[in-house]
Amino acid sequence: LQPANLQVMGRSALYAAATTLSCLLLGYPLAYFIAFHGGRYRSQLLVLVVLPFWTSYLIRTFAWMTLLQTEGFLNFVLLKLHLVAQPLTLLNTPVAVILGLTYGFLPFATLPIYVSLEHQDRSLVEAANDLGASPWEAFWKVVFPLSLPGVISGSLITFVPAMGDFVSPEILGGPETQLIGNLIQQQFLALFNWPMGSALSL
């Protein structure tokens, strides 16, 4: 419970919460589209969602490092579109770490939400429309409440591994973006202080 360790734990919780929120904001519309508008292409769309898992998480994170570097693809596009006057410093920032975590854990949030949406009774939405509800009201009063179990499951499945992740902060971040996973890794593999590493893990 030393102040330095507590600061890293707080940062880990903050980054994990931001990652979870980002995954929900991106994953819910994606899951909704696949469940309600995927049609006969639903299976192919689900394969595309899980396709990144066919590649190592480490390799995918290194790919993001290439995209976000000063002379990387993202800065190239921003400069070509004249959205920025000079390349942005994206690597070694909290934004880069949260972006990497969001990309890594997006399927964890999307799939549980998709399952809860896919099993919903479509006649409930039709009933809401017959009773005068607009599409937006039908979504907020029928679809979204029924999908809350998937939202909660997706949030937990995303938050827990995001808080303990050490690959994205190690590759995309810097000393100021160190998370609890990096601290534990250092105790075990660099300082060989296994008792401290065990305590931090607990």
Side-chain angles (χ1 to χ4, degrees):
L1 297 177
Q2 295 175 355
N5 294 336
L6 289 177
Q7 183 179 5
V8 174
M9 290 181 189
R11 186 188 304 131
S12 301
L14 179 64
Y15 284 20
T19 299
T20 303
L21 181 61
S22 301
C23 286
L24 290 178
L25 291 176
L26 294 172
Y28 199 102
L30 179 59
Y32 183 90
F33 176 81
I34 296 174
F36 286 90
H37 304 290
R40 61 194 181 98
Y41 298 107
R42 189 177 298 174
S43 299
Q44 291 90 327
L45 292 172
L46 288 174
V47 169
L48 290 177
V49 171
V50 299
L51 190 62
F53 284 131
W54 295 5
T55 306
S56 167
Y57 180 52
L58 184 64
I59 293 174
R60 288 184 280 140
T61 307
F62 272 117
W64 272 106
M65 185 180 70
T66 305
L67 292 172
L68 296 176
Q69 62 188 357
T70 306
E71 299 175 354
F73 179 75
L74 185 57
N75 271 316
F76 172 78
V77 171
L78 292 175
L79 289 170
K80 282 295 182 183
L81 296 176
H82 302 289
L83 296 176
V84 295
Q86 56 186 7
L88 300 176
T89 302
L90 299 172
L91 276 179
N92 304 325
T93 63
V95 173
V97 175
I98 293 172
L99 184 61
L101 290 171
T102 300
Y103 172 74
F105 297 114
L106 181 60
F108 291 157
T110 304
L111 295 177
I113 296 173
Y114 165 78
V115 171
S116 65
L117 290 171
E118 200 268 335
H119 287 96
Q120 285 186 14
D121 187 355
R122 301 294 193 270
S123 63
L124 296 175
V125 178
E126 296 173 2
N129 294 330
D130 290 342
L131 292 171
S134 66
W136 189 247
E137 289 175 325
F139 171 78
W140 278 113
K141 294 183 178 180
V142 178
V143 176
F144 185 74
L146 290 175
S147 67
L148 279 178
V151 172
I152 295 171
S153 299
S155 300
L156 288 173
I157 295 172
T158 303
F159 182 86
V160 173
M163 186 163 179
D165 187 83
F166 65 90
V167 175
S168 290
E170 184 72 24
I171 296 174
L172 302 176
E176 299 301 319
T177 60
Q178 187 181 58
L179 303 186
I180 188 67
N182 305 105
L183 200 57
I184 294 169
Q185 179 198 30
Q186 290 174 6
Q187 299 299 323
F188 277 104
L189 302 180
L191 303 176
F192 299 104
N193 189 350
W194 290 17
M196 175 61 79
S198 300
L200 291 169
S201 299
L202 183 61

